Amino acid sequence: MLVLGLESSCDETAAAVVEDGTRALSDVVASQVDMHARFGGVVPELASRAHVANIIPVVEEALDRAGVGLDDLGAVAVTQGPGLIGALLVSVQVGKGIAYGRGLPLVGVHHLEGHLSAVYLEPDPPPLPHLALVVSGGHTSLIRVDDHGRLVELGATRDDAAGEAFDKVAKLLGLGYPGGVMIDRLAKSGDPTAVGFPRAMTKKETGYEFSFSGLKTAVLVHVQQHGIPEGQGLADLCASFQDTVVEVLVRKTRQAARDHGLAHVQMCGGVAANSRLRSQMSAAGAEDGFRVHVPPPRRCTDNAAMIAAAGFYRLRRGAHSNLSLAADSALPLPAAIG
Ligand code: KG4
Ligand code: ZN
């Protein structure tokens, strides 16, 4: 079955056609990064307006590239939430329009369930159950994926998400938006041991919870005391910050894999594109005996193929939405479990 996926929860307008939840026939993303960059972050009203302008051409391109028409589709999947409400509304309304116009089933998808489903588009996806580390701009969670849509959140961040920490630190260092990619790039030539930042929530009793706001403040204090370094110093600072985030993410993930006896770990969300996180997690897996599955970087960040894949599995479980489907900026994860 072909599912058209639509995603507009933040600053990417995306549409994709996915076959049977496993094969992306097309995957189109119109990024608004350049527009928001000069404001140092996403401006919600501008995002909504750009989604309105982009969504129809993006859908048309997704159908064209897949070589299919609306009549070939079996269903429409849209991100229902969480995200920016004005942004979410755009693909929810367009999805409803297409579903109504063509008499197709419509399914609302939780954005995180989408990220978790990106890995099923890879040739060798992890078996179920497995452990998932979701690390994006809005979320940092360890989730036990017992089955499609049967998700148990083991722990999450108490404050900032990992991606948020990358973005805020990048802004502080004058590296522009979005910051994760810039820090990743600069850190490659830096010394991760140059600056000793505190690793929060590493005591056993903190379980699988994370905290990154203290680290952000530690970087701020460092910059207030020493100024923003240039050249090698900047690379060292980026590498030290990045390594602190990565070390905590890896430490908690390997603990959870051990505690739950899971031999497969997937990482998803924008920060899963981070080169240091990818290499350190693989090294930990090799040592502890778990296999690491990560989608390619473009499927770690927001896209619609992951939404179409998640939608396919939701439909297969008998879950579907009707035309009263409402975008929900704070949609809780359990509500997405059909
Ligand atoms: O999943 P995503 O595209 O959007 C959300 O659902 O939030 O994640 C975006 C986040 C941003 O915070 C961005 O800075 C971060 O992912 N990111 C990275 C990298 N690429 C994107 N963080 C670290 N290293 C990267 N290479
Ligand atoms: Zn996302």
Side-chain angles (χ1 to χ4, degrees):
M1 178 173 68
L2 298 184
V3 177
L4 172 70
L6 303 176
E7 152 70 36
S8 66
S9 66
C10 190
D11 61 345
E12 324 275 9
T13 318
V17 177
V18 169
E19 187 177 29
D20 297 335
T22 52
R23 200 165 76 87
L25 304 187
S26 65
D27 186 0
V28 179
V29 179
S31 176
Q32 306 174 6
V33 159
D34 295 343
M35 182 181 76
H36 297 292
R38 63 195 182 97
F39 300 102
V42 177
V43 183
E45 181 59 24
L46 292 182
S48 310
R49 286 164 191 255
H51 286 310
V52 170
N54 292 340
I55 188 81
I56 299 297
V58 164
V59 169
E60 282 173 345
E61 195 176 332
L63 293 170
D64 272 5
R65 285 200 197 169
V68 302
L70 289 174
D71 291 332
D72 300 310
L73 300 175
V76 181
V78 297
T79 305
Q80 184 185 359
L84 302 169
I85 190 67
L88 287 165
L89 277 171
V90 177
S91 52
V92 167
Q93 291 307 115
V94 168
K96 280 185 191 177
I98 295 173
Y100 180 66
R102 298 289 157 148
L104 294 169
L106 173 72
V107 61
V109 170
H110 189 284
H111 185 75
L112 283 197
E113 200 179 342
H115 275 301
L116 288 166
S117 303
V119 79
Y120 302 126
L121 296 163
E122 295 309 301
D124 186 18
L128 296 158
H130 65 255
L131 179 66
L133 174 67
V134 188
V135 268
S136 70
H139 295 88
T140 301
S141 305
L142 273 166
I143 292 176
R144 204 180 70 214
V145 184
D146 288 338
D147 200 346
H148 292 290
R150 271 188 39 219
L151 313 172
V152 179
E153 190 172 76
L154 304 176
T157 181
R158 285 192 183 174
D159 40 57
D160 291 354
E164 200 177 346
F166 270 94
D167 292 340
K168 286 178 176 171
V169 166
K171 195 169 178 178
L172 187 73
L173 298 176
L175 301 177
Y177 170 86
V181 182
M182 281 303 291
I183 290 182
D184 191 354
R185 200 175 298 153
L186 281 166
K188 284 199 168 82
S189 55
D191 172 8
T193 64
V195 187
F197 288 122
R199 272 112 173 109
M201 314 285 286
T202 48
K203 290 209 178 73
K204 189 119 181 93
E205 59 272 19
T206 59
Y208 309 119
E209 293 193 338
F210 301 92
S211 166
F212 295 108
S213 76
L215 173 59
K216 173 192 65 191
T217 309
V219 178
L220 174 66
V221 170
H222 182 86
V223 165
Q224 280 169 343
Q225 287 171 349
H226 305 277
I228 298 176
E230 287 175 13
Q232 188 59 42
L234 182 60
D236 288 347
L237 185 55
C238 287
S240 301
F241 159 76
Q242 175 177 274
D243 203 53
T244 307
V245 176
V246 167
E247 199 200 300
V248 177
L249 291 173
V250 171
R251 189 191 298 211
K252 299 249 168 173
T253 304
R254 62 200 301 187
Q255 186 63 47
R258 204 175 302 139
D259 293 349
H260 290 261
L262 295 167
H264 291 264
V265 172
Q266 69 143 306
M267 297 197 291
C268 58
V271 184
N274 184 267
S275 58
R276 180 83 177 166
L277 178 59
R278 291 166 90 99
S279 64
Q280 293 298 96
M281 194 66 85
S282 297
E287 232 177 272
D288 290 9
F290 59 81
R291 249 195 78 191
V292 180
H293 304 255
V294 201
R298 72 192 167 86
R299 289 261 169 74
C300 289
T301 47
D302 289 347
N303 65 87
M306 68 184 196
I307 302 300
F312 171 82
Y313 293 108
R314 280 183 69 76
L315 284 164
R316 213 178 56 175
R317 299 197 299 276
H320 68 269
S321 315
N322 57 35
L323 293 176
S324 63
L325 177 76
D328 183 347
S329 62
L331 187 70
L333 196 53
I337 300 171

